[in-house]
Coordinates of all heavy atoms in Angstrom, one line a residue:
M1 N 58.9 169.2 123.5 CA 57.7 169.2 124.3 C 56.6 168.4 123.5 O 56.4 168.6 122.3 CB 57.2 170.6 124.6 CG 56.0 170.7 125.4 SD 55.6 172.3 126.1 CE 55.4 173.3 124.8
G2 N 55.9 167.6 124.2 CA 54.8 166.8 123.6 C 53.5 167.6 123.5 O 53.4 168.7 123.8
R3 N 52.5 166.9 122.9 CA 51.2 167.5 122.8 C 50.5 167.5 124.1 O 50.7 166.7 125.0 CB 50.4 166.7 121.8 CG 51.0 166.7 120.4 CD 50.2 165.8 119.5 NE 48.9 166.4 119.3 CZ 47.9 165.7 118.7 NH1 48.1 164.5 118.2 NH2 46.7 166.2 118.6
R4 N 49.7 168.5 124.3 CA 49.0 168.8 125.6 C 47.5 168.4 125.5 O 46.9 168.8 124.5 CB 49.2 170.2 126.0 CG 48.8 170.5 127.4 CD 49.1 171.9 127.8 NE 50.4 172.2 127.4 CZ 51.0 173.4 127.6 NH1 50.3 174.4 128.2 NH2 52.2 173.6 127.3
L5 N 47.0 167.8 126.5 CA 45.6 167.4 126.5 C 44.7 168.6 126.8 O 45.0 169.5 127.6 CB 45.3 166.3 127.5 CG 45.9 165.0 127.2 CD1 45.8 164.1 128.3 CD2 45.2 164.4 125.9
A6 N 43.5 168.7 126.1 CA 42.5 169.8 126.3 C 41.4 169.2 127.2 O 40.6 170.0 127.7 CB 42.0 170.3 125.0
A7 N 41.3 167.9 127.3 CA 40.2 167.3 128.1 C 40.7 166.1 128.9 O 41.8 165.6 128.5 CB 39.1 166.9 127.2
A8 N 40.0 165.7 129.9 CA 40.4 164.5 130.7 C 40.1 163.3 129.8 O 39.1 163.3 129.1 CB 39.6 164.5 132.0
V9 N 40.9 162.3 129.9 CA 40.7 161.1 129.1 C 41.0 159.9 130.0 O 41.9 160.0 130.9 CB 41.6 161.0 127.9 CG1 41.2 162.0 126.9 CG2 43.1 161.2 128.2
H10 N 40.3 158.8 129.8 CA 40.6 157.5 130.5 C 41.1 156.6 129.4 O 40.5 156.3 128.4 CB 39.2 157.0 131.0 CG 38.6 157.8 132.1 ND1 38.5 157.4 133.4 CD2 38.1 159.0 132.1 CE1 37.9 158.3 134.1 NE2 37.6 159.3 133.3
V11 N 42.3 156.1 129.7 CA 43.0 155.1 128.8 C 43.6 154.0 129.5 O 43.8 154.1 130.7 CB 44.0 155.8 127.9 CG1 43.4 156.9 126.9 CG2 45.1 156.5 128.7
T12 N 44.0 153.0 128.8 CA 44.8 151.9 129.4 C 46.2 152.0 128.8 O 46.4 152.1 127.6 CB 44.2 150.5 129.0 OG1 42.9 150.5 129.5 CG2 45.0 149.4 129.6
H13 N 47.2 152.0 129.7 CA 48.6 152.1 129.2 C 48.9 151.0 128.3 O 48.6 149.8 128.7 CB 49.6 152.2 130.4 CG 50.9 152.6 130.1 ND1 51.8 151.8 129.4 CD2 51.5 153.8 130.3 CE1 52.9 152.5 129.2 NE2 52.8 153.7 129.8
P14 N 49.4 151.2 127.1 CA 49.6 150.1 126.1 C 50.7 149.1 126.6 O 50.6 148.0 126.0 CB 50.1 150.9 124.9 CG 50.6 152.2 125.4 CD 49.9 152.5 126.6
E15 N 51.6 149.4 127.5 CA 52.6 148.5 127.8 C 52.3 147.8 129.2 O 52.6 146.6 129.3 CB 54.0 149.2 127.9 CG 54.4 149.8 126.6 CD 55.5 150.8 126.7 OE1 56.0 151.1 127.8 OE2 55.9 151.3 125.7
T16 N 51.7 148.5 130.1 CA 51.5 147.9 131.5 C 50.1 147.5 131.7 O 49.8 146.9 132.7 CB 51.9 148.9 132.6 OG1 51.1 150.1 132.5 CG2 53.4 149.3 132.4
N17 N 49.2 147.9 130.8 CA 47.7 147.6 130.9 C 47.1 148.3 132.2 O 46.1 147.9 132.7 CB 47.4 146.1 130.9 CG 47.6 145.6 129.5 OD1 47.4 146.2 128.5 ND2 48.0 144.3 129.5
E18 N 47.8 149.3 132.7 CA 47.3 150.0 133.9 C 46.3 151.1 133.4 O 46.5 151.8 132.5 CB 48.5 150.7 134.5 CG 48.2 151.6 135.6 CD 49.4 152.4 136.1 OE1 50.5 152.3 135.5 OE2 49.3 153.1 137.1
P19 N 45.1 151.1 134.1 CA 44.2 152.2 133.8 C 44.7 153.5 134.2 O 45.2 153.7 135.3 CB 42.9 151.8 134.5 CG 43.4 150.9 135.6 CD 44.7 150.3 135.2
L20 N 44.6 154.5 133.3 CA 45.1 155.9 133.6 C 44.0 156.9 133.4 O 43.1 156.7 132.5 CB 46.2 156.3 132.6 CG 47.5 155.4 132.6 CD1 48.4 155.8 131.4 CD2 48.2 155.5 133.9
I21 N 44.0 157.9 134.2 CA 43.1 159.1 134.0 C 44.0 160.3 133.8 O 44.7 160.6 134.8 CB 42.1 159.3 135.2 CG1 41.3 158.1 135.4 CG2 41.3 160.5 135.0 CD1 40.4 158.1 136.7
L22 N 44.0 160.8 132.7 CA 44.8 162.0 132.4 C 44.0 163.3 132.4 O 42.9 163.2 131.9 CB 45.5 161.8 131.0 CG 46.3 160.5 130.8 CD1 46.8 160.3 129.4 CD2 47.5 160.5 131.8
Q23 N 44.6 164.3 132.9 CA 43.8 165.6 133.1 C 44.2 166.6 132.0 O 45.2 166.5 131.4 CB 44.2 166.1 134.5 CG 43.8 165.2 135.6 CD 42.3 165.0 135.7 OE1 41.5 165.9 135.4 NE2 41.9 163.8 136.0
P24 N 43.3 167.6 131.8 CA 43.7 168.6 130.9 C 45.0 169.3 131.2 O 45.2 169.5 132.4 CB 42.5 169.6 131.0 CG 41.4 168.8 131.5 CD 42.0 167.8 132.4
G25 N 45.8 169.6 130.3 CA 47.1 170.1 130.5 C 48.2 169.1 130.6 O 49.4 169.5 130.5
D26 N 47.9 167.8 130.8 CA 48.9 166.8 130.9 C 49.5 166.6 129.5 O 48.9 166.8 128.5 CB 48.3 165.4 131.3 CG 48.0 165.4 132.8 OD1 48.3 166.4 133.5 OD2 47.3 164.4 133.2
E27 N 50.8 166.2 129.5 CA 51.5 165.9 128.3 C 52.0 164.4 128.4 O 53.1 164.2 128.8 CB 52.7 166.8 128.1 CG 52.3 168.3 127.9 CD 53.5 169.2 127.8 OE1 54.7 168.7 127.6 OE2 53.3 170.4 127.9
P28 N 51.2 163.5 127.9 CA 51.5 162.1 128.1 C 52.7 161.7 127.2 O 52.9 162.3 126.1 CB 50.2 161.3 127.6 CG 49.5 162.3 126.8 CD 49.9 163.7 127.3
D29 N 53.4 160.6 127.5 CA 54.5 160.1 126.7 C 54.0 159.6 125.4 O 52.8 159.4 125.2 CB 55.4 159.1 127.5 CG 54.6 157.9 127.9 OD1 53.7 157.5 127.2 OD2 55.0 157.2 128.8
E30 N 54.9 159.3 124.5 CA 54.4 159.0 123.1 C 53.6 157.7 123.1 O 52.7 157.6 122.3 CB 55.7 158.8 122.2 CG 56.3 160.1 121.9 CD 57.5 160.0 121.0 OE1 57.6 159.0 120.2 OE2 58.4 160.9 121.0
A31 N 54.0 156.7 123.9 CA 53.2 155.4 123.9 C 51.8 155.6 124.3 O 50.9 155.1 123.7 CB 53.9 154.4 124.8
V32 N 51.6 156.4 125.3 CA 50.2 156.7 125.8 C 49.5 157.6 124.8 O 48.3 157.4 124.5 CB 50.2 157.3 127.2 CG1 48.8 157.7 127.7 CG2 50.9 156.3 128.2
A33 N 50.2 158.6 124.3 CA 49.5 159.5 123.3 C 49.0 158.8 122.1 O 48.0 159.2 121.5 CB 50.5 160.6 122.9
A34 N 49.7 157.7 121.7 CA 49.3 157.0 120.5 C 48.0 156.3 120.7 O 47.3 156.1 119.7 CB 50.4 156.0 120.2
V35 N 47.5 156.0 121.9 CA 46.2 155.4 122.1 C 45.1 156.4 122.2 O 44.0 156.0 122.3 CB 46.3 154.4 123.2 CG1 47.3 153.2 123.0 CG2 46.5 155.0 124.6
I36 N 45.4 157.7 122.3 CA 44.4 158.7 122.4 C 44.1 159.2 121.0 O 44.8 160.0 120.4 CB 44.8 159.9 123.3 CG1 45.2 159.4 124.7 CG2 43.7 160.9 123.4 CD1 45.9 160.4 125.6
T37 N 43.0 158.6 120.4 CA 42.7 158.8 119.0 C 41.7 159.9 118.8 O 41.5 160.3 117.6 CB 42.2 157.5 118.4 OG1 41.0 157.1 119.1 CG2 43.3 156.4 118.4
N38 N 41.0 160.4 119.8 CA 40.0 161.4 119.6 C 40.7 162.8 119.5 O 41.3 163.3 120.4 CB 39.0 161.5 120.8 CG 37.9 162.4 120.6 OD1 37.9 163.3 119.8 ND2 36.9 162.3 121.4
P39 N 40.6 163.5 118.3 CA 41.2 164.7 118.1 C 40.7 165.8 119.1 O 41.5 166.8 119.4 CB 41.0 165.1 116.7 CG 40.0 164.1 116.1 CD 39.9 163.0 117.1
A40 N 39.5 165.7 119.6 CA 39.0 166.7 120.5 C 39.6 166.7 121.8 O 39.5 167.6 122.6 CB 37.5 166.5 120.6
A41 N 40.4 165.6 122.1 CA 41.0 165.5 123.4 C 42.3 166.3 123.5 O 42.8 166.6 124.6 CB 41.4 164.0 123.7
W42 N 42.8 166.8 122.4 CA 44.1 167.5 122.3 C 43.9 169.0 122.1 O 42.9 169.4 121.5 CB 44.9 167.0 121.1 CG 45.2 165.6 121.3 CD1 44.7 164.5 120.6 CD2 46.2 165.0 122.1 NE1 45.2 163.3 121.0 CE2 46.2 163.6 121.9 CE3 47.2 165.5 123.0 CZ2 47.1 162.7 122.6 CZ3 48.0 164.7 123.6 CH2 48.0 163.3 123.4
E43 N 44.8 169.8 122.7 CA 44.8 171.2 122.5 C 45.2 171.4 121.0 O 45.9 170.6 120.4 CB 45.8 171.9 123.4 CG 45.2 172.0 124.8 CD 46.1 172.8 125.7 OE1 47.2 173.3 125.3 OE2 45.8 173.0 126.9
P44 N 44.8 172.6 120.4 CA 45.2 172.9 119.0 C 46.7 172.9 118.9 O 47.4 173.3 119.9 CB 44.6 174.2 118.8 CG 43.6 174.5 119.8 CD 44.0 173.6 121.0
D45 N 47.2 172.5 117.8 CA 48.7 172.5 117.5 C 49.1 174.0 117.5 O 48.3 174.9 117.1 CB 49.0 171.9 116.2 CG 48.9 170.3 116.3 OD1 49.0 169.8 117.4 OD2 48.7 169.7 115.3
E46 N 50.4 174.2 117.7 CA 50.9 175.6 117.7 C 50.9 176.0 116.2 O 51.2 175.3 115.3 CB 52.3 175.7 118.3 CG 52.3 175.5 119.8 CD 53.7 175.7 120.4 OE1 54.6 175.9 119.6 OE2 53.8 175.6 121.6
D47 N 50.7 177.3 116.0 CA 50.7 177.9 114.7 C 52.2 178.0 114.2 O 53.1 177.8 114.9 CB 50.2 179.3 114.7 CG 48.7 179.4 115.0 OD1 48.0 178.4 114.8 OD2 48.3 180.4 115.5
A48 N 52.4 178.2 112.9 CA 53.7 178.4 112.4 C 54.5 179.5 113.0 O 55.7 179.5 113.1 CB 53.6 178.6 110.9
D49 N 53.8 180.5 113.6 CA 54.4 181.6 114.3 C 54.9 181.2 115.6 O 55.6 182.0 116.3 CB 53.5 182.8 114.4 CG 53.0 183.3 113.1 OD1 53.7 183.1 112.1 OD2 52.0 184.0 113.1
G50 N 54.6 180.0 116.1 CA 55.0 179.6 117.4 C 54.0 180.0 118.5 O 54.2 179.8 119.7
E51 N 52.8 180.5 118.1 CA 51.8 180.9 119.1 C 50.8 179.8 119.0 O 50.5 179.2 118.0 CB 51.1 182.2 118.7 CG 52.1 183.4 118.6 CD 51.4 184.6 118.1 OE1 50.1 184.6 118.0 OE2 52.1 185.6 117.8
D52 N 50.2 179.5 120.2 CA 49.1 178.5 120.2 C 47.8 179.2 119.8 O 47.7 180.4 119.8 CB 49.0 177.8 121.5 CG 48.7 178.7 122.7 OD1 48.3 179.8 122.5 OD2 48.9 178.3 123.8
G53 N 46.8 178.4 119.4 CA 45.6 179.0 118.9 C 44.6 179.4 120.0 O 43.4 179.7 119.7
D54 N 45.0 179.5 121.3 CA 44.1 179.8 122.3 C 43.8 181.3 122.4 O 42.7 181.7 123.0 CB 44.6 179.4 123.7 CG 44.7 177.9 123.8 OD1 44.1 177.2 122.9 OD2 45.4 177.4 124.6
G55 N 44.6 182.2 122.0 CA 44.5 183.6 122.2 C 43.2 184.2 121.6 O 42.6 185.1 122.2
D56 N 42.8 183.8 120.5 CA 41.6 184.4 119.9 C 40.6 183.3 119.5 O 40.0 183.3 118.5 CB 41.9 185.2 118.7 CG 42.7 184.4 117.6 OD1 43.1 183.3 117.9 OD2 42.9 184.9 116.5
A57 N 40.4 182.4 120.5 CA 39.4 181.3 120.2 C 38.0 181.9 120.0 O 37.6 182.8 120.7 CB 39.4 180.4 121.4
G58 N 37.4 181.4 118.9 CA 36.0 181.9 118.6 C 36.0 183.2 117.7 O 35.0 183.6 117.4
A59 N 37.2 183.7 117.4 CA 37.2 184.9 116.6 C 36.9 184.6 115.2 O 37.3 183.5 114.7 CB 38.6 185.6 116.7
K60 N 36.3 185.5 114.5 CA 36.0 185.3 113.1 C 37.2 185.6 112.2 O 38.0 186.5 112.5 CB 34.8 186.1 112.6 CG 33.5 185.7 113.3 CD 32.4 186.4 112.8 CE 31.1 186.0 113.5 NZ 29.9 186.5 112.9
T61 N 37.4 184.9 111.2 CA 38.6 185.0 110.3 C 38.4 185.9 109.1 O 39.3 186.2 108.4 CB 39.1 183.7 109.8 OG1 38.0 183.1 109.0 CG2 39.4 182.7 111.0
G62 N 37.2 186.4 108.9 CA 36.9 187.2 107.7 C 36.6 186.4 106.5 O 36.4 186.9 105.4
T63 N 36.6 185.1 106.6 CA 36.3 184.2 105.5 C 35.0 183.5 105.7 O 34.9 182.3 105.6 CB 37.4 183.2 105.3 OG1 37.5 182.4 106.5 CG2 38.7 183.8 104.9
E64 N 34.0 184.3 106.1 CA 32.7 183.7 106.4 C 32.0 183.3 105.1 O 32.2 183.8 104.0 CB 31.8 184.8 107.0 CG 32.3 185.3 108.4 CD 31.4 186.3 109.0 OE1 30.1 186.2 108.8 OE2 31.9 187.2 109.6
T65 N 31.2 182.2 105.2 CA 30.5 181.7 104.1 C 29.0 182.0 104.3 O 28.5 182.0 105.4 CB 30.7 180.2 103.9 OG1 30.3 179.5 105.1 CG2 32.1 179.8 103.6
K66 N 28.3 182.2 103.2 CA 26.9 182.5 103.3 C 26.2 181.2 103.4 O 26.5 180.2 102.8 CB 26.4 183.2 102.0 CG 27.0 184.6 101.9 CD 26.5 185.3 100.6 CE 27.1 186.7 100.5 NZ 26.6 187.3 99.3
P67 N 25.1 181.1 104.2 CA 24.4 179.9 104.3 C 23.7 179.5 103.0 O 23.2 180.4 102.3 CB 23.3 180.1 105.4 CG 23.4 181.6 105.7 CD 24.6 182.2 105.1
R68 N 23.7 178.2 102.7 CA 23.1 177.8 101.5 C 21.5 177.8 101.6 O 21.0 177.5 102.7 CB 23.6 176.4 101.1 CG 25.0 176.5 100.7 CD 25.5 175.2 100.1 NE 25.0 174.0 100.7 CZ 25.3 172.8 100.4 NH1 26.2 172.6 99.4 NH2 24.8 171.7 101.0
S69 N 20.8 178.0 100.6 CA 19.4 178.0 100.6 C 19.0 176.5 100.8 O 19.5 175.6 100.2 CB 18.8 178.5 99.3 OG 17.5 178.3 99.2
R70 N 17.9 176.3 101.5 CA 17.4 175.0 101.8 C 16.1 174.8 101.1 O 15.3 174.0 101.6 CB 17.3 174.7 103.3 CG 18.7 174.7 103.9 CD 18.6 174.0 105.3 NE 19.9 173.8 105.8 CZ 20.4 172.6 105.9 NH1 19.7 171.5 105.6 NH2 21.6 172.4 106.4
T71 N 15.8 175.5 100.0 CA 14.5 175.3 99.3 C 14.7 174.1 98.4 O 15.7 173.8 97.9 CB 14.1 176.5 98.5 OG1 15.2 176.8 97.6 CG2 13.9 177.7 99.5
R72 N 13.6 173.4 98.2 CA 13.6 172.3 97.3 C 13.4 172.7 95.8 O 12.7 173.6 95.5 CB 12.5 171.3 97.7 CG 12.7 170.7 99.0 CD 11.7 169.6 99.2 NE 12.1 168.9 100.5 CZ 11.4 167.9 101.0 NH1 10.3 167.5 100.4 NH2 11.8 167.4 102.1
K73 N 14.0 172.0 95.0 CA 13.9 172.2 93.5 C 12.5 171.7 93.1 O 12.1 170.6 93.4 CB 15.0 171.4 92.8 CG 15.1 171.8 91.4 CD 16.3 171.1 90.8 CE 16.5 171.4 89.4 NZ 17.6 170.8 88.8
Q74 N 11.8 172.5 92.3 CA 10.4 172.2 91.9 C 10.5 171.1 90.8 O 11.4 171.2 89.9 CB 9.7 173.4 91.3 CG 9.4 174.4 92.4 CD 8.5 173.9 93.5 OE1 7.5 173.2 93.2 NE2 8.7 174.3 94.7
A75 N 9.7 170.1 90.8 CA 9.6 169.1 89.8 C 9.0 169.7 88.5 O 8.1 170.5 88.5 CB 8.8 167.9 90.2
D76 N 9.6 169.3 87.4 CA 9.1 169.8 86.1 C 7.8 169.1 85.8 O 7.7 167.9 85.9 CB 10.1 169.5 85.0 CG 11.4 170.3 85.1 OD1 11.3 171.5 85.7 OD2 12.4 169.9 84.7
E77 N 6.8 169.8 85.3 CA 5.5 169.2 85.0 C 5.3 169.1 83.5 O 5.7 169.8 82.7 CB 4.4 170.0 85.6 CG 4.4 169.9 87.1 CD 3.3 170.6 87.8 OE1 2.2 170.8 87.2 OE2 3.4 170.9 89.0

């Protein structure tokens, strides 16, 4: 099974030069998939467990980082 699109994309078929509009959920053949270079157009790859990453989208992983301070360093006088 090929990769699945997460968003609609407009591309030109690399062999026939035919304009294509692909919809979310489509699985284009390898030749067409090669010309879709925006990573946001694709659904997340399946995890090593064989599950896709859609089940807990937006869930926190427990590895939160603290925001860095945005204060300026004082110049030495």
Side-chain angles (χ1 to χ4, degrees):
M1 178 165 64
R3 295 177 65 193
R4 192 174 313 178
L5 290 170
V9 293
H10 295 248
V11 295
T12 302
H13 194 284
E15 297 166 359
T16 64
N17 290 326
E18 175 185 4
L20 301 173
I21 300 173
L22 304 172
Q23 299 298 321
D26 286 352
E27 296 180 12
D29 62 28
E30 290 182 25
V32 175
V35 298
I36 303 172
T37 58
N38 185 343
W42 298 102
E43 286 187 357
D45 289 334
E46 291 186 358
D47 297 334
D49 298 341
E51 300 175 9
D52 60 17
D54 295 342
D56 56 351
K60 294 187 179 185
T61 60
T63 57
E64 296 181 36
T65 58
K66 294 181 181 178
R68 295 191 317 185
S69 173
R70 294 197 169 248
T71 58
R72 293 189 175 178
K73 189 174 184 180
Q74 295 295 324
D76 295 329
E77 292 184 24

